[in-house]
């Protein structure tokens, strides 16, 4: 097996909203994080402020964990929503959590905001959290790692449960008009898990999840992987790069838009790196093996 290479992310701890971006807007925090109207208005304001081509939702990594029953401190414009306290200690407690109801709660508001922005002709990128980021809202990390080491069969069941929920989320988002997704797992990188656990996570969760995502993504849909995830798939020989030459220098997101319909996955750069330009005009797409 090849060695997993880590990607040095500079955006993993990016939290809060730039006050200048929302100056003069009729937005109250944390209410703006809770309603589709607030989310849509905030997404448009950030798009304009950052001078980007897309609206990104949501503004935190807590939506899925909260929808599973986790407790969230909604914060304010300086520090966005974050986990408040843990609700599970054992694997059994995690596995007993009810399925997400995508018709209610903040996760439903996110989907409504996506639909409203799409209806206005905006390009929406919906962020989907990976398993460790979701679990980090529900259970203290030391308990998660203990389950992984001592009860791997239960860890697989937990991964399977999260995989089902995330696939349902992708399907619900597509029904709301979303065609572009981003995926990351900030608390599940090589620098945190180490090589052995990272490779096992690819085997038990990452690879089978994306193989299933590949079958449900529409022909005009694209998933932008965090490079940490892309490199984990490459390093475990579950995927390979495929180059598409666009013929001229182009910024990364524009390149991603141009390869929609030609691939399902990209992942050479973080979508938050607004200024990254492919100087050679070549965008690397990810092909699962």
């Amino acid at each position: 097996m090849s060695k997993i290479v880590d990607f040095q992310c500079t955006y993993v701890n990016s939290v809060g909203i730039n006050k200048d971006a929302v100056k003069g807007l009729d937005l109250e925090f944390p209410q703006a994080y809770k309603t589709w109207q607030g989310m849509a208005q905030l997404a448009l304001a950030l798009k304009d402020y950052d001078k980007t081509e897309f609206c990104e939702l949501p503004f935190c990594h807590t939506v899925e964990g909260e929808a599973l029953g986790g407790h969230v401190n909604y914060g304010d414009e300086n520090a966005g929503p974050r986990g408040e306290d843990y609700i599970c200690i054992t694997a059994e407690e995690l596995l007993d959590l009810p399925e997400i109801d995508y018709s209610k709660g903040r996760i439903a508001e996110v989907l409504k905001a996506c639909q409203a922005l799409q209806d206005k002709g905006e390009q929406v990128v919906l962020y989907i959290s990976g398993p460790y980021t979701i679990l980090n809202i529900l259970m203290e990390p030391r308990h998660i790692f203990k389950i992984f080491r001592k009860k791997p069969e239960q860890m697989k069941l937990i991964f399977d449960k999260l995989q089902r929920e995330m696939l349902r989320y992708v399907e619900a988002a597509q029904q709301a008009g979303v065609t572009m997704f981003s995926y990351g797992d900030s608390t599940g990188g090589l620098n945190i898990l180490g090589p052995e656990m990272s490779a096992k996570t690819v085997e038990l969760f990452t690879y089978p999840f994306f193989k299933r995502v590949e079958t449900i993504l529409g022909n005009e849909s694209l998933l932008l992987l965090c490079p940490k995830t892309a490199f984990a798939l490459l390093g475990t020989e579950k995927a390979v790069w495929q180059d598409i030459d666009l013929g001229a220098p182009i910024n990364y997101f524009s390149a991603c838009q141009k390869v929609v319909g030609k691939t399902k996955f990209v992942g050479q750069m973080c979508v938050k790196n607004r200024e990254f330009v492919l100087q050679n005009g070549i965008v690397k797409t990810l092909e699962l093996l």
Side-chain angles (χ1 to χ4, degrees):
M1 183 179 71
S2 301
K3 180 182 178 181
I4 298 176
V5 177
D6 199 11
F7 177 81
Q8 299 304 313
C9 179
T10 57
Y11 299 94
V12 67
N13 294 317
S14 178
V15 295
I17 302 296
N18 190 307
K19 289 184 178 180
D20 291 335
V22 297
K23 188 180 296 183
L25 295 179
D26 185 23
L27 286 174
E28 294 184 4
F29 292 90
Q31 193 62 24
Y33 298 127
K34 298 181 182 181
T35 67
W36 73 262
Q37 297 95 331
M39 291 180 201
Q41 189 178 357
L42 184 53
L44 285 169
L46 292 174
K47 175 199 170 188
D48 291 341
Y49 182 81
D50 292 332
K51 296 180 173 61
T52 60
E53 304 165 60
F54 60 95
C55 294
E56 190 173 16
L57 287 166
F59 313 106
C60 66
H61 307 316
T62 65
V63 172
E64 299 96 330
E66 182 186 37
L68 282 164
H71 299 161
V72 170
N73 179 337
Y74 292 106
D76 52 30
E77 68 271 29
N78 298 312
R82 57 201 181 275
E84 190 166 42
D85 51 28
Y86 300 112
I87 63 170
C88 297
I89 296 176
T90 67
E92 290 79 9
E93 288 174 329
L94 280 174
L95 292 169
D96 284 342
L97 293 175
E99 285 189 346
I100 294 174
D101 183 345
Y102 291 94
S103 68
K104 68 179 185 181
R106 189 158 58 106
I107 201 162
E109 296 298 306
V110 170
L111 295 173
K112 290 176 186 175
C114 290
Q115 183 73 71
L117 290 167
Q118 292 285 157
D119 289 347
K120 285 186 174 183
E122 297 291 339
Q123 174 69 74
V124 175
V125 176
L126 177 65
Y127 178 85
I128 294 180
S129 297
Y132 292 103
T133 300
I134 296 172
L135 289 171
N136 195 46
I137 303 299
L138 304 169
M139 175 181 278
E140 193 174 347
R142 65 187 178 94
H143 295 310
I144 298 168
F145 298 146
K146 182 178 179 181
I147 294 169
F148 204 130
R149 290 192 305 270
K150 297 192 174 182
K151 299 180 179 179
E153 70 287 349
Q154 287 191 315
M155 196 69 210
K156 185 179 184 307
L157 292 175
I158 293 167
F159 279 151
D160 289 346
K161 177 183 178 72
L162 294 178
Q163 188 178 140
R164 290 192 298 271
E165 291 297 347
M166 293 164 69
L167 288 168
R168 292 176 61 228
Y169 193 19
V170 171
E171 290 176 325
Q174 289 190 120
Q175 291 174 8
V178 177
T179 58
M180 299 196 80
F181 299 84
S182 66
Y183 171 95
D185 200 4
S186 58
T187 58
L190 177 67
N191 58 319
I192 296 174
L193 301 182
E196 184 177 346
M197 193 175 291
S198 292
K200 196 67 176 176
T201 298
V202 172
E203 176 189 337
L204 294 179
F205 180 87
T206 315
Y207 179 69
F209 172 65
F210 285 115
K211 287 295 280 187
R212 293 183 181 180
V213 167
E214 192 172 33
T215 67
I216 66 172
L217 281 180
N219 292 330
E220 298 303 312
S221 296
L222 185 70
L223 197 153
L224 298 85
L225 276 67
C226 167
K228 285 179 175 286
T229 302
F231 290 169
L233 288 164
L234 293 163
T236 52
E237 300 178 351
K238 298 295 187 182
V240 293
W241 289 127
Q242 295 288 349
D243 292 350
I244 296 179
D245 191 346
L246 299 177
I250 185 171
N251 76 58
Y252 184 58
F253 186 74
S254 294
C256 292
Q257 289 178 305
K258 286 185 177 293
V259 300
V260 169
K262 300 176 182 178
T263 185
K264 293 293 179 70
F265 305 108
V266 294
Q268 73 194 92
M269 180 47 64
C270 176
V271 70
K272 294 184 183 296
N273 191 338
R274 319 292 195 202
E275 300 178 0
F276 181 71
V277 175
L278 300 169
Q279 296 292 348
N280 60 5
I282 296 175
V283 59
K284 290 186 174 296
T285 68
L286 208 66
E287 181 180 334
L288 301 178
L289 299 176

